[in-house]
Amino acid sequence: MTQIKTQIGRRAFIKNSGLAGGGLILGFSWLNSCKPKVVSEEELVREMPKEWFDINAYLKIGDNGLVTIMAPNPEFGQGVITSMPMIVADELDVDWQDVLVEQANFDQEDYGWQFTGGSQGIRRRWEGLRMAGATARHMLIAAAAETWQVPASEITVSNGMLGHKGTDKSAGYGEMAATAAKMEVPEEVTLKEVKDFTIIGTSRKGVENHRIVTGKPLFGLDYQFEGALVAMVVHPPAFGLQLKSFDDSQIQSMPGIVDVFKIKTLEDGFTRGYFDTNAFTDLVAIVGKSTWEVMNAKKQLSVEWEPIGDSRFTMDRFGTQMNVDVPSGLESTDDHYAKMNEVATKSATTTRKDGNPEEVFKKAAKTIERSYSCPFLAHNCMEPMNFFAHVTDDGAKLAGPLQAPVLTAPTVAARLGMPAEKIEIELTRMGGGFGRRAYGHYAVEAALISKEAKAPVKLVYTREDDMTCGIYRPSYRADYKAALDEDNNLIAFHVKAGGIPETPLFANRFPAGAVDNYLAQQWEINSNITIGAFRAPRSNFMAGVEQAFLDEVAEAAGKDPIEFRLELLERAKNNPVGEENEYDPDRLAGVLKLVREKSNWNQPTVGTHRGVSAYFCHNSYAAHVVDIVMDGDTPKVENVVCAVDCGIVINPDAAKNMAEGAIVDGIGNAMYGELTFKDGAPQQTNFDRYKMIRHSEVPKNIEVHFVKNEIDPTGLGEPPFPPVFGALANALYKATGRRYTKQPFITDKEPLVG
């Protein structure tokens, strides 16, 4: 077993020695409990302890042995509400059937960095969650040793039972809870060896599955509060416009309408946080008694807009102050591509250079070049943005779907002019996130509307509101060039990438480190269209184009695409170029070898066209083989085999589901996703024009395989997503004989670049 100091927890572990009913509560500053919630159906069929004790606690044990574990991170389908408590329960050594799980509310003092995003949830909390369970186990053992007057080293634990072989005594955790609560928090705890895990690494059903399939209230849109009004906002129809005036005379007398007023979500001069992205800070709010009545009034509201000039605001990027310039104008997609075409031919900022690629290109036996581009994308969470707020002079209660309450709460406090400790945020389950809900402007809007209306309100976005208010995946372009010598060895590689308004480049990722002469350059074109994190930011473009280009280079070299990549990775492992390479060549090669084996790569099925890709991002590695068949002139994805190395897998079935979802999501975005603009206005405002993948278009079969190792868990929510774009492009090439360089792949347009 592994000894680990409880230094982090000793200051923060909270014991209550005055517990009635024999309950034990363990908490620590960044993982603590929330207030009691309504008893679930699952809990009703169990025999409950006489009392539960929610006194700032994270882990509580009842007198009958039931354990309640709080899930600290917000849940949007990735399964952390199940997998995080599984980690605690394993180290506690309790039977999973005796565990109840509750979603914790926002509490920065107790939970610290409550943020779901970046595939960092399990990775960041892995050690602390284990420590929570192990410390409770240690204290229960100490309680049994004291009670039975035997050495603690002789106490055994298993599935919530304590035992002593010499005296033949045994007791459940519930029987020792009261005594354990009085024990000293240990200086060190012993964590299990990986081989001793009994819950981690086994498949467990999601703790909310039954409530989901039976339609029980879980999501923000389900949230109910007695007397709450419904609110909607009206924002400018185009980027580059702002509110000038509005006339509410026609709607004030409409049925159910309570009030209409202007709100300003961010004050002029306010230093924004990194996730305070918001193109439209001046809005019209409509408050009424029902969603339907407010929607009807919204359609009748008379609003006048005006162009906004160039502007600047200050941003605090996690401690670094920076000025952000926002250009004026009404932008269009055709102009975007024209500008990218122009800028891509000019010089760019060099971010990495190995060797002398310019000279090597002049002497190359073969040169391969290709350009790629992609459009803006909308997140399109199935649950549109929404939030509840009840602001009074005494404080503010908010509730809703939010990925980053730790980042939204300070802005809410600043705008309300209220101390942060007076703001309570209840976290509901999210109907999708993908980065969109990390930007909590809609929570700020709800709070300001409630304050002005002097009533509890539930802010609801329509689909059109959601798709047209910004925070998109940027539009990108990348230009690649590769050189081969007479023996078809890759001797030089050049990537130049940029976008509107940011570059997608990762200069130190594969094949950096595997080529002697390597050049990475980047550029950017500013825009007033707001962008934000979109599942695997930047990687969701770079992985696809990099892997599509490597396939083309492999073909030019006359090599199998997997063998070609493995040769480069062998070089990166044994004789790497440079010292800043981000990836582990062994782990990247590992997923390629696993997907080659599991897909029977060397024995393709007749009539099937295959594409492969592999990529590193968010500390993990994923590889895919996509099989396409042609139905007349229509390509159909028949089968996908996926290999992932994300370290220790907590809940295999849930992990498999997440990879499957990423694959389907990737195929849908690659084939169909596109958001375009005309004079600043998004041209796709609902699913009638913004195509999402349909059930009939998903692969008939998806296999997911995990590399087995004992590496601490790394990311999983995002890593399987980016490589799908490349594997799909490569399979389409095999099926059609045409290189797919512009997303969406299914478009009938001629390529605008490349």
Side-chain angles (χ1 to χ4, degrees):
M1 289 193 173
T2 304
Q3 290 278 8
I4 184 168
K5 289 187 178 294
T6 58
Q7 220 166 14
I8 299 173
R10 281 193 61 77
R11 292 191 304 273
F13 267 93
I14 301 167
K15 298 180 298 166
N16 188 314
S17 58
L19 296 177
L24 165 66
I25 296 178
L26 290 173
F28 45 108
S29 64
W30 50 275
L31 288 170
N32 228 320
S33 73
C34 68
K35 294 182 178 180
K37 59 192 285 186
V38 177
V39 176
S40 69
E41 291 182 9
E42 182 184 16
E43 293 167 335
L44 288 174
V45 301
R46 303 182 184 204
E47 183 181 350
M48 292 291 104
K50 293 179 181 179
E51 288 187 74
W52 282 113
F53 302 93
D54 287 305
I55 43 178
N56 249 358
Y58 169 65
L59 186 159
K60 55 185 180 181
I61 302 177
D63 55 7
N64 66 346
L66 281 185
V67 178
T68 293
I69 300 174
M70 309 306 296
N73 282 28
E75 170 67 47
F76 59 36
Q78 78 282 37
V80 292
I81 197 170
T82 302
S83 56
M84 285 188 174
M86 285 175 65
I87 297 169
V88 178
D90 202 321
E91 288 288 357
L92 177 61
D93 222 329
V94 66
D95 192 322
W96 182 246
Q97 293 184 356
D98 293 330
V99 173
L100 301 176
V101 174
E102 291 184 13
Q103 173 67 62
N105 290 334
F106 171 65
D107 191 326
Q108 186 169 3
E109 182 178 348
D110 291 338
Y111 294 91
W113 191 253
Q114 276 179 284
F115 181 93
T116 293
S119 301
Q120 297 299 301
I122 295 293
R123 178 174 177 261
R124 286 180 177 269
R125 293 201 185 264
W126 170 246
E127 185 177 286
L129 291 167
R130 295 183 67 191
M131 191 196 309
T135 300
R137 170 169 45 85
H138 180 103
M139 295 169 72
L140 287 160
I141 290 172
E146 180 179 281
T147 301
W148 298 334
Q149 292 297 293
V150 298
S153 60
E154 296 180 4
I155 302 291
T156 60
V157 292
S158 178
N159 285 333
M161 293 295 297
L162 298 146
H164 183 253
K165 188 175 182 180
T167 59
D168 201 29
K169 292 183 178 180
S170 63
Y173 280 178
E175 298 172 67
M176 292 294 170
T179 303
K182 303 171 186 176
M183 308 306 296
E184 286 291 325
V185 176
E187 290 284 348
E188 292 184 341
V189 292
T190 301
L191 300 182
K192 289 183 176 182
E193 299 291 345
V194 173
K195 64 180 178 61
D196 296 322
F197 289 152
T198 58
I199 296 176
I200 295 169
T202 65
S203 292
R204 308 288 169 157
K205 293 180 180 179
V207 296
E208 291 186 325
N209 282 4
H210 184 264
R211 295 181 69 189
I212 292 171
V213 300
T214 55
K216 297 297 186 295
L218 282 171
F219 300 92
L221 284 173
D222 297 326
Y223 193 86
Q224 299 293 323
F225 190 91
E226 187 175 355
L229 300 173
V230 174
M232 289 187 172
V233 293
V234 181
H235 65 69
F239 294 89
L241 296 180
Q242 64 181 353
L243 176 65
K244 182 178 182 181
S245 64
F246 67 94
D247 180 358
D248 60 358
S249 58
Q250 289 187 339
I251 70 171
Q252 282 285 10
S253 59
M254 290 181 68
I257 299 306
V258 174
D259 205 352
V260 184
F261 48 82
K262 174 185 172 181
I263 62 169
K264 191 174 186 66
T265 55
L266 297 173
E267 293 282 13
D268 295 336
F270 176 72
T271 298
R272 304 187 188 188
Y274 187 59
F275 282 84
D276 283 336
T277 302
N278 193 343
F280 307 124
T281 57
D282 292 3
L283 308 169
V284 181
I286 305 173
V287 182
K289 295 180 180 179
S290 73
T291 305
W292 180 247
E293 289 169 325
V294 175
M295 287 180 70
N296 284 333
K298 183 178 177 182
K299 295 174 184 176
Q300 300 301 318
L301 181 67
S302 177
V303 187
E304 186 177 359
W305 312 102
E306 63 181 358
I308 187 171
D310 294 346
S311 62
R312 168 180 285 191
F313 62 85
T314 303
M315 176 188 290
D316 184 341
R317 184 171 183 172
F318 305 111
T320 301
Q321 297 277 318
M322 56 195 303
N323 291 323
V324 179
D325 293 313
V326 182
S328 60
L330 303 176
E331 302 178 17
S332 297
T333 295
D334 288 347
D335 294 334
H336 285 164
Y337 282 117
K339 287 181 179 179
M340 288 199 290
N341 287 345
E342 180 182 354
V343 173
T345 62
K346 298 180 179 179
S347 60
T349 302
T350 297
T351 55
R352 173 166 174 165
K353 183 177 181 180
D354 299 323
N356 192 345
E358 295 91 346
E359 288 301 315
V360 173
F361 275 116
K362 293 177 183 178
K363 303 174 183 177
K366 294 180 186 176
T367 301
I368 306 97
E369 296 185 67
R370 188 69 65 177
S371 297
Y372 304 85
S373 68
C374 70
F376 284 88
L377 293 178
H379 292 80
N380 287 331
C381 307
M382 288 296 101
E383 178 192 26
M385 301 304 109
N386 66 92
F387 227 77
F388 167 82
H390 187 198
V391 179
T392 66
D393 292 339
D394 297 326
K397 174 179 175 59
L398 284 77
L402 196 61
Q403 285 183 238
V406 68
L407 301 176
T408 301
T411 305
V412 173
R415 285 300 292 117
L416 293 178
M418 185 178 290
E421 57 268 21
K422 288 192 174 184
I423 296 173
E424 174 189 345
I425 302 179
E426 183 177 340
L427 301 177
T428 66
R429 189 180 180 95
M430 293 174 269
F434 315 111
R436 175 63 181 89
R437 296 191 204 271
Y439 304 87
H441 61 90
Y442 52 97
V444 180
E445 293 161 11
L448 292 173
I449 294 170
S450 174
K451 181 180 180 179
E452 179 69 21
K454 295 180 173 56
V457 301
K458 183 176 180 179
L459 172 67
V460 178
Y461 272 35
T462 64
R463 177 61 59 191
E464 288 81 2
D465 293 334
D466 202 8
M467 287 185 66
T468 60
C469 72
I471 312 181
Y472 307 119
R473 196 282 300 271
S475 181
Y476 294 128
R477 171 178 169 138
D479 296 89
Y480 283 90
K481 187 177 181 180
L484 302 176
D485 65 14
E486 293 82 355
D487 297 320
N488 287 321
N489 296 309
L490 180 61
I491 54 174
F493 194 91
H494 179 202
V495 54
K496 182 195 291 187
I500 300 174
E502 69 169 15
T503 177
L505 182 67
F506 293 97
N508 297 317
R509 292 188 181 175
F510 183 74
V515 187
D516 287 323
N517 303 283
Y518 175 86
L519 179 62
Q521 297 178 304
Q522 64 184 23
W523 50 267
E524 296 176 343
I525 299 172
N526 202 1
S527 173
N528 57 30
I529 298 172
T530 55
I531 62 165
F534 186 105
R535 195 173 197 169
R538 299 186 290 155
S539 295
N540 56 50
F541 174 67
M542 292 304 292
V545 299
E546 166 203 291
Q547 292 294 304
F549 185 65
L550 285 175
D551 248 43
E552 188 168 357
V553 176
E555 184 180 64
K559 298 179 180 179
D560 174 84
I562 292 181
E563 286 300 329
F564 176 69
R565 289 168 171 82
L566 291 175
E567 286 177 12
L568 291 174
L569 289 167
E570 190 70 16
R571 164 67 196 278
K573 172 186 175 181
N574 296 326
N575 188 22
V577 180
E579 299 178 355
E580 303 297 326
N581 306 317
E582 294 183 19
Y583 61 96
D584 181 332
D586 267 339
R587 294 182 72 184
L588 189 51
V591 292
L592 270 168
K593 292 174 182 177
L594 182 59
V595 83
R596 178 175 62 181
E597 172 196 342
K598 297 299 183 180
S599 68
N600 293 315
W601 175 259
N602 295 320
Q603 296 177 326
T605 303
V606 176
T608 298
H609 310 279
R610 320 193 87 179
V612 67
S613 68
Y615 194 69
F616 158 81
C617 72
H618 296 84
N619 309 103
S620 293
Y621 303 79
H624 301 305
V625 169
V626 169
D627 289 347
I628 283 179
V629 296
M630 296 299 294
D631 183 4
D633 293 330
T634 303
K636 292 190 174 181
V637 180
E638 192 83 357
N639 185 66
V640 179
V641 180
C642 167
V644 180
D645 181 352
C646 59
I648 296 168
V649 177
I650 310 300
N651 189 351
D653 275 359
K656 178 183 176 183
N657 292 342
M658 200 173 340
E660 290 171 342
I663 289 165
V664 173
D665 193 17
I667 292 171
N669 279 290
M671 293 293 287
Y672 312 117
E674 183 177 35
L675 187 70
T676 61
F677 299 87
K678 179 68 174 178
D679 296 328
Q683 298 300 286
Q684 296 77 27
T685 61
N686 209 317
F687 296 136
D688 59 334
R689 299 189 67 187
Y690 193 108
K691 182 172 170 55
M692 304 287 286
I693 192 169
R694 303 296 195 259
H695 285 290
S696 62
E697 296 161 336
V698 304
K700 289 184 178 179
N701 181 59
I702 300 176
E703 295 179 28
V704 181
H705 304 275
F706 294 97
V707 174
K708 295 180 179 180
N709 56 43
E710 296 187 1
I711 298 171
D712 286 353
T714 49
L716 183 57
E718 286 155 296
F721 178 69
V724 179
F725 292 73
L728 180 60
N730 293 332
L732 285 169
Y733 167 69
K734 295 293 181 63
T736 66
R738 181 167 69 87
R739 296 287 177 188
Y740 284 74
T741 61
K742 183 184 184 300
Q743 297 169 26
F745 295 153
I746 206 68
T747 182
D748 290 330
K749 301 176 187 176
E750 289 298 317
L752 295 175
V753 296

